[in-house]
Each structure stands twice: as structure tokens, then as C-alpha cells.
Amino acid sequence: MSTNREFWIRINPAGCVTGSVLAGYVGLLAEDAHKEFTPRIADRRKEAAAGWRHELISHDEWTSRAQPSLTGHCDHPRRAATTAAAS
């Protein structure tokens, strides 16, 4: 089932989605989403410098990208371990 809802997703430096929120709830700017997840400006600055980011995505993309991470099925740790072992 497709829907036109949009979501902000919170992505850690490793590329894993660690949170999501409806865009209509927080606004249409990445800054709005970052404020929702991290209220303190000093913490937001540290996160931005460390590589945390926020992306606006469709519901269909949320299902394919965010849902696996948010339900514990993210493969980033496995891929990182496989890449390190291959080096």
C-alpha cells in the first residue's frame, strides 16, 4: 500500500537509521528534524560534526530503508565486519 506521507529519518555515521518521525509533525527542514531528535544546540553541533544526518523520504522508501534498521534487521554492522575481514 503506497501513501504520500513523508518521514524524516535520523541516520548515524555508520549509515544506520536510528529514528524516524512524520515530516508533517516537525516541519520540512532538516534542521527541524534534527531539533526534534536532539533538542540541545550544542549536542546538534557535535552530532553534525560526527556525521549524523537527517533525510526526508517517502513512505515507500521508509519501508525499504528505515524499517529494517528500526526493527533490528540492519545489515551495516555485518557489512562493516565483512569489509574489515576482506582487507
Side-chain angles (χ1 to χ4, degrees):
M1 175 177 153
S2 180
T3 179
N4 61 1
R5 291 183 296 169
E6 291 182 307
F7 295 83
W8 282 106
I9 55 172
R10 177 171 168 79
I11 305 164
N12 70 18
C16 300
V17 176
T18 63
S20 73
V21 65
L22 281 169
Y25 177 72
V26 298
L28 295 177
L29 300 175
E31 293 172 18
D32 297 330
H34 200 177
K35 287 177 187 177
E36 177 68 22
F37 291 110
T38 309
R40 293 185 48 211
I41 191 165
D43 295 335
R44 289 195 304 272
R45 288 179 178 151
K46 288 177 189 174
E47 288 178 353
W52 286 81
R53 56 195 174 87
H54 301 82
E55 289 183 24
L56 184 62
I57 61 172
S58 69
H59 182 266
D60 290 340
E61 192 171 357
W62 184 92
T63 300
S64 66
R65 285 183 62 200
Q67 189 173 21
S69 288
L70 297 174
T71 58
H73 297 96
C74 177
D75 67 351
H76 287 102
R78 286 187 298 256
R79 276 193 283 157
T82 303
T83 303
S87 307

